[in-house]
Amino acid sequence: MEFFSGAGGDPLKPSIFELVAQEQLRDLLQPALKYVLAVFAQRYPRYLIRIVNRHEEFYALIMLVVERYYLRKHNASFAENFYGMKRRRRPYIETERARVASGMIHPTERLRNREIRWSLLFLVAIPYIRAKAHDYFEDVGGGTHVDILDDEPLSGATEGEETWSARLKRAYRTLYPWANSAFEVWLLISNVAYLFDQTPYYRPWLKWIGVDLRRLGPEDFRAAMQAQRAQLTTEQRKGILARIRRLIFTSPKLLLDSLRLLLPTAIFFVKFLEWWYAPGSPARALSATPTGPVVPPPRMLPPHPQGIPFDSTSLGTCPVCRQPINNATALPSGYVYCYRCAYEEVEERGRCPVTLLPAQMWQLRKVLV
């Protein structure tokens, strides 16, 4: 069992810890980008609000361009290249240990268009499909406790009158957690098999594609340095106009190469902001004054003339069912309803019944008293 590749084993075989680290880096990119877009969307909503609402598609498009560039140039995904790894077409007959340890990739082992297309499928398309499947699971009430829904049709119809659409949603809500758990267990088994050196592929689809992951060897770094020196020598021989023209044409490539530094820096910055603004952060305790003024809460939006009448004197009563609030849930408008009432109103009409302010399912917030 090779926890750290080195003594007595293949020195260029990545350890399971490196592989897990590069996956975690890839998983942190989307929340960091979404946070940055959400912050700028508050200042420029006309230009960015649509991108924030379709963030999964926007992120998948960006990663398609980035991953395709890194696979073609570096024979590795963005996260794999960041951690000093590369992909190679695994040969049918493994070469001798000394040649493998040198880090040289034979031209026949470089990624072809077929391997690049399949790699993009599992690096971009599959995570996008999983994200959309999880979003749909939450939209159909996934994760909601049985005592809240009482296992009844949310549309108000009886069991016999339940539509096929409601039945499919109910089946999806039941089967998705099992399917997702089975997929995670499958990945865990692959990791354990790779950890105990039972397979050279830490992911099953790498075997289907026919590639494996390797560390960058001395020859890779030497070849990169030689290419950089040759490029500098060529630029010195050309004039200033040729340099400017080349800079203009290669600026997209320079931007993609700079992502290796910019994206991890953005992740660190986002995590730092989360710590800074956390309720238990020491920074907030230092900046807060014990005798300072308390910021008053924002004023509640007035009821819409065409909305449900609201009696401000009847506290603790749901405006929809006119009964004591059961499982209090707040909408973005600030009004509190029963969870079932708020769920049905948002699902059917997509708005707050009192203020008619647009609302979505993920904006429902439980009120814990």
Side-chain angles (χ1 to χ4, degrees):
M1 178 170 52
E2 300 176 4
F3 292 98
F4 300 96
S5 299
D10 188 351
L12 294 183
K13 178 183 177 181
S15 66
I16 188 64
F17 306 104
E18 294 173 297
L19 298 174
V20 172
Q22 65 90 17
E23 280 199 345
Q24 291 179 346
L25 173 62
R26 189 168 63 243
D27 294 338
L28 288 174
L29 293 178
Q30 184 172 3
L33 180 60
K34 186 175 183 179
Y35 180 84
V36 173
L37 286 176
V39 171
F40 282 98
Q42 295 179 3
R43 189 168 185 178
Y44 307 101
R46 176 183 298 181
Y47 307 102
L48 298 178
I49 191 63
R50 294 183 179 179
I51 296 179
V52 174
N53 293 336
R54 308 289 294 182
H55 172 72
E56 287 79 7
E57 290 76 8
F58 177 71
Y59 177 76
L61 180 61
I62 289 181
M63 293 309 298
L64 178 64
V65 176
V66 173
E67 299 289 16
R68 182 178 180 274
Y69 173 79
Y70 273 83
L71 286 171
R72 287 188 175 276
K73 182 176 181 180
H74 302 287
N75 284 276
S77 67
F78 169 78
E80 293 163 358
N81 179 259
F82 180 82
Y83 278 95
M85 290 181 284
K86 61 187 176 182
R87 297 190 176 202
R88 67 160 186 173
R89 292 170 53 203
R90 186 170 177 84
Y92 292 102
I93 301 177
E94 190 63 72
T95 55
E96 60 272 13
R97 180 75 64 179
R99 178 172 174 270
V100 174
S102 67
M104 297 180 61
I105 294 184
H106 194 269
T108 59
E109 297 178 1
R110 295 185 63 86
L111 299 182
R112 300 173 300 183
N113 291 333
R114 173 185 174 276
E115 286 80 17
I116 293 177
R117 287 195 297 267
W118 280 104
S119 298
L120 290 176
L121 174 66
F122 289 102
L123 287 172
V124 180
I126 298 301
Y128 169 74
I129 294 174
R130 292 191 65 190
K132 298 300 291 185
H134 183 73
D135 291 344
Y136 184 72
F137 174 70
E138 293 184 346
D139 289 342
V140 298
T144 306
H145 199 271
V146 180
D147 295 338
I148 299 176
L149 295 179
D150 296 330
D151 199 21
E152 297 178 359
L154 296 178
S155 60
T158 62
E159 191 68 25
E161 299 175 352
E162 187 179 9
T163 63
W164 279 103
S165 177
R167 294 178 182 177
L168 291 177
K169 290 181 180 180
R170 185 186 301 276
Y172 182 84
R173 191 171 62 241
T174 304
L175 296 178
Y176 173 80
W178 292 97
N180 188 58
S181 300
F183 184 79
E184 295 294 339
V185 171
W186 183 40
L187 297 185
L188 177 61
I189 294 175
S190 301
N191 284 346
V192 174
Y194 183 88
L195 177 65
F196 286 91
D197 205 18
Q198 298 299 313
T199 176
Y201 310 97
Y202 91 104
R203 284 291 178 260
W205 48 79
L206 293 179
K207 183 177 181 180
W208 306 340
I209 302 175
V211 301
D212 61 356
L213 291 178
R214 309 286 292 170
R215 288 197 185 108
L216 293 177
E219 293 297 331
D220 296 297
F221 295 105
R222 189 177 298 113
M225 293 180 62
Q226 292 177 355
Q228 186 176 5
R229 292 174 182 174
Q231 180 179 353
L232 293 176
T233 304
T234 304
E235 291 181 354
Q236 291 176 358
R237 295 177 181 176
K238 296 181 179 180
I240 185 64
L241 294 179
R243 296 181 188 178
I244 296 176
R245 184 168 59 251
R246 183 183 180 279
L247 180 62
I248 295 175
F249 284 108
T250 59
S251 56
K253 297 181 179 180
L254 293 176
L255 176 61
L256 292 174
D257 286 329
S258 64
L259 293 179
R260 191 172 185 270
L261 176 63
L262 295 178
L263 289 181
T265 305
I267 294 176
F268 171 79
F269 182 69
V270 171
K271 291 300 179 181
F272 174 78
L273 291 179
E274 290 181 355
W275 169 82
W276 184 267
Y277 291 105
S281 173
R284 293 178 62 90
L286 292 175
S287 60
T289 57
T291 59
V294 178
V295 179
R299 295 182 59 186
M300 182 175 292
L301 295 176
H304 195 276
Q306 299 179 358
I308 296 178
F310 177 76
D311 186 5
S312 59
T313 60
S314 58
L315 299 178
T317 302
C318 178
V320 178
C321 63
R322 303 297 179 181
Q323 300 294 329
I325 295 179
N326 182 18
N327 197 1
T329 302
L331 292 181
S333 60
Y335 289 86
V336 181
Y337 310 87
C338 300
Y339 180 83
R340 176 180 292 277
C341 298
Y343 191 101
E344 292 179 352
E345 288 290 336
V346 174
E347 184 185 38
E348 295 177 4
R349 301 177 178 84
R351 63 188 184 184
C352 171
V354 174
T355 63
L356 304 185
L357 185 72
Q360 299 181 10
M361 300 300 301
W362 60 270
Q363 293 177 319
L364 297 177
R365 292 293 182 268
K366 300 290 185 63
V367 180
L368 303 179
V369 181

